[in-house]
Amino acid sequence: MTEKSFVLIGAGSTVFTPGLMTDLASSRTFDGWTVHLVDLNGEAAETMARVGRRIAAERGAELEFVPHVDRREALPGARFVTTTIAVGAAAGWRADIEVPARYGIAQTVGDSVGPGGVLRALRHVPELVAIATDVADLAPEAQLINYSNPLTANVRAVTLQTGVKAVGLCHGTMHTLSKLAADLDIPRDEVNAVFAGLNHLCWLLDVRRGTEDLYPLLRRRVAERAGGVDAPSTREEGVHLPVSADLLRTFGLYPAPGDRHVSEFFGWYLRAEDGRPADEARLPWGLQGGRDATMEYIGEKDDLWELLHAQADGKAPLRRTDNQEAERLVAIAEAIVSGNEHVELAVNLPNEGKIPNLPPTAVVEVPAVVGAAGITGLGVGALPDGIAAVLTARAQQQEITVRAALTGDRALALQALALDPLVGRLDVATGILDDAIKAHGPLLDRFAETEPAR
């Protein structure tokens, strides 16, 4: 029997959790519900519960917030389970960027693809499968919604290993569409779009205002405003982004969600024109701003906790802006609970023919209908051959990554790293893995070499 409860595992997420609690408190659908906040750091879970109670009081919401350290205490009968875990926390993410950098490999985000994405999957997949196994045992009817990166590998592992209803959510395509609509001088609510692909490399298949095809206008704006390899550093999305413009010219469709993500899927944007590894102080294609933003975000974690403690104590005002990532979760939950269907722009779930020229087992990002029947991904047809080739290669590499994470097989981990376009060499992959094992300690030591190399 399902209960009126949300379970958030990884409740110490400094951005997502306050946003989720704010959006839940803004919806009358969830009055009378309980939000279980689970984190291995009990003080973090308790702090978030206190912030949640303040949010509910200010918004007149009938919500109960209960902190937990043990997820099995929180899970029985849950209706929705959300995972936002970060195994290794901010220090782990920093290591995922700094270790490959010793080998001349620059990453702009390093949490989904690139060697950082592989290393993150090796840590996250086992824990997410363990969580999903507990969900299957204690809340078999629950909808599991994962936000933890690498989204594709994590959802693939959970759906491969358990029978849990699981999807992944990411705000990336939504943000890209909003920025493009602004650059086209068209109100966002008048623009309809279809995206499809893999998380963090999703392609705009169609964009319209009513029956008007907006792609010709988009191509003109990109041609007018986008730079090239020498473009100035930028942190803003929009038609000026040089990598996205280059991919539009090369593959015929516009990618999402922004250059800092899509560039990591290819072997050439993060390297100097002569083929040498890029100087990390001067990334080409305007990408330095994206890398700087990532490193600053990692470094802000302590400051965010200081603010949250002050909010929990009533010494600082609550934020008045809602978080878009959490908002989609609440809108989806409302549709499932109420039966009022709507279409989501992008949900990550098993392909199973939705994109027929990608592997059926791949986790793809496609539109979905959400309602009383749950979350149903929509078929979008075949992608252009060049795009399908890029995504197929990445999906197959991620399949190897998942298998490595599930088995602890060092050879598979080395394959996954060597097959990444940013790595491309087995000796570099070996150095990265061994250095990462030292950096992450017990989280990766099962991949340590047990026999002398031949």
Side-chain angles (χ1 to χ4, degrees):
M1 179 179 176
T2 58
E3 304 288 338
K4 290 184 175 182
S5 69
F6 271 86
V7 177
L8 176 54
I9 299 175
S13 175
T14 53
V15 175
F16 179 87
T17 301
L20 172 63
M21 295 190 299
T22 299
D23 291 333
L24 285 171
S26 302
S27 172
R28 299 285 66 81
T29 300
F30 301 105
D31 281 344
W33 284 55
T34 299
V35 182
H36 297 276
L37 300 166
V38 182
D39 201 278
L40 293 176
N41 182 334
E43 194 271 336
E46 174 60 35
T47 298
M48 286 298 186
R50 290 164 59 209
V51 172
R53 291 166 195 146
R54 272 198 71 192
I55 292 170
E58 287 200 7
R59 300 206 173 209
E62 298 175 20
L63 283 172
E64 182 180 2
F65 294 91
V66 182
H68 301 268
V69 174
D70 182 354
R71 63 177 177 257
R72 290 186 65 87
E73 292 180 356
L75 281 172
R79 186 67 183 86
F80 298 99
V81 178
T82 304
T83 45
T84 61
I85 65 170
V87 179
W93 189 358
R94 184 179 290 108
D96 291 340
I97 293 174
E98 291 178 348
V99 167
R102 298 173 196 163
Y103 297 84
I105 297 171
Q107 299 171 101
T108 37
V109 186
D111 69 349
S112 293
V113 293
V118 174
L119 296 174
R120 193 177 183 94
L122 296 181
R123 301 194 306 278
H124 277 75
V125 160
E127 184 61 22
L128 282 165
V129 169
I131 290 169
T133 300
D134 283 347
V135 173
D137 180 28
L138 299 170
E141 300 303 314
Q143 174 67 62
L144 174 62
I145 300 173
N146 174 64
Y147 279 85
S148 294
N149 284 315
L151 203 66
T152 307
N154 289 340
V155 175
R156 169 59 179 154
V158 167
T159 54
L160 173 67
Q161 294 293 111
T162 75
V164 171
K165 295 178 289 186
V167 300
L169 288 185
C170 175
H171 65 285
T173 52
M174 181 171 60
H175 284 188
T176 296
L177 184 56
S178 295
K179 293 291 188 180
L180 293 182
D183 284 348
L184 297 178
D185 300 313
I186 299 173
R188 168 63 186 87
D189 58 5
E190 294 181 16
V191 179
N192 295 306
V194 178
F195 286 91
L198 300 183
N199 182 238
H200 290 163
L201 185 58
C202 204
W203 301 82
L204 181 60
L205 305 186
D206 190 75
V207 58
R208 296 177 185 272
R209 176 170 54 183
T211 60
E212 177 190 3
D213 183 0
L214 295 177
Y215 240 121
L217 176 58
L218 174 60
R219 293 178 193 279
R220 289 198 300 272
R221 292 288 166 87
V222 170
E224 292 165 359
R225 301 183 189 177
V229 65
D230 297 324
S233 176
T234 182
R235 301 186 183 199
E236 293 296 320
E237 269 203 70
V239 297
H240 63 285
L241 290 181
V243 171
S244 294
D246 197 52
L247 291 172
L248 173 63
R249 289 189 293 268
T250 303
F251 292 101
L253 295 175
Y254 195 87
D259 284 6
R260 64 194 289 262
H261 283 297
V262 302
S263 64
E264 291 189 317
F265 281 76
F266 300 90
W268 51 86
Y269 293 115
L270 289 165
R271 295 180 181 275
E273 287 186 286
D274 62 3
R276 293 180 301 174
D279 176 356
E280 289 186 15
R282 297 181 293 104
L283 292 182
W285 295 95
L287 291 168
Q288 185 61 38
R291 186 180 187 281
D292 290 345
T294 295
M295 300 310 293
E296 288 172 16
Y297 179 75
I298 293 171
E300 286 173 354
K301 294 295 186 180
D302 289 341
D303 292 341
L304 288 172
W305 268 116
E306 286 185 18
L307 173 61
L308 287 164
H309 283 123
Q311 290 174 338
D313 293 337
K315 297 176 181 178
L318 298 171
R319 292 183 63 184
R320 295 299 173 187
T321 56
D322 293 346
N323 180 274
Q324 284 185 300
E325 293 173 83
E327 181 181 309
R328 302 320 313 152
L329 170 57
V330 173
I332 286 171
E334 285 179 332
I336 292 173
V337 170
S338 70
N340 295 325
E341 290 187 350
H342 74 268
V343 176
E344 279 293 316
L345 183 67
V347 173
N348 291 265
L349 69 184
N351 183 19
E352 298 172 346
K354 299 171 186 67
I355 304 176
N357 56 344
L358 294 188
T361 56
V363 168
V364 295
E365 189 164 288
V366 292
V369 173
V370 185
I375 302 170
T376 305
L378 300 177
V380 297
L383 298 178
D385 289 344
I387 289 173
V390 171
L391 297 182
T392 295
R394 185 46 55 103
Q396 290 172 334
Q397 180 213 2
Q398 289 173 332
E399 188 76 8
I400 294 169
T401 303
V402 168
R403 286 168 50 204
L406 291 172
T407 63
D409 188 314
R410 177 180 170 87
L412 289 176
L414 288 172
Q415 289 176 28
L417 285 165
L419 288 169
D420 193 284
L422 297 185
V423 179
R425 286 172 47 187
L426 184 57
D427 61 332
V428 173
T430 302
I432 289 172
L433 181 60
D434 287 338
D435 285 0
I437 291 167
K438 295 174 185 175
H440 291 290
L443 297 175
L444 289 182
D445 60 10
R446 60 204 179 105
F447 294 101
E449 189 169 27
T450 55
E451 297 180 2
R454 294 182 179 179

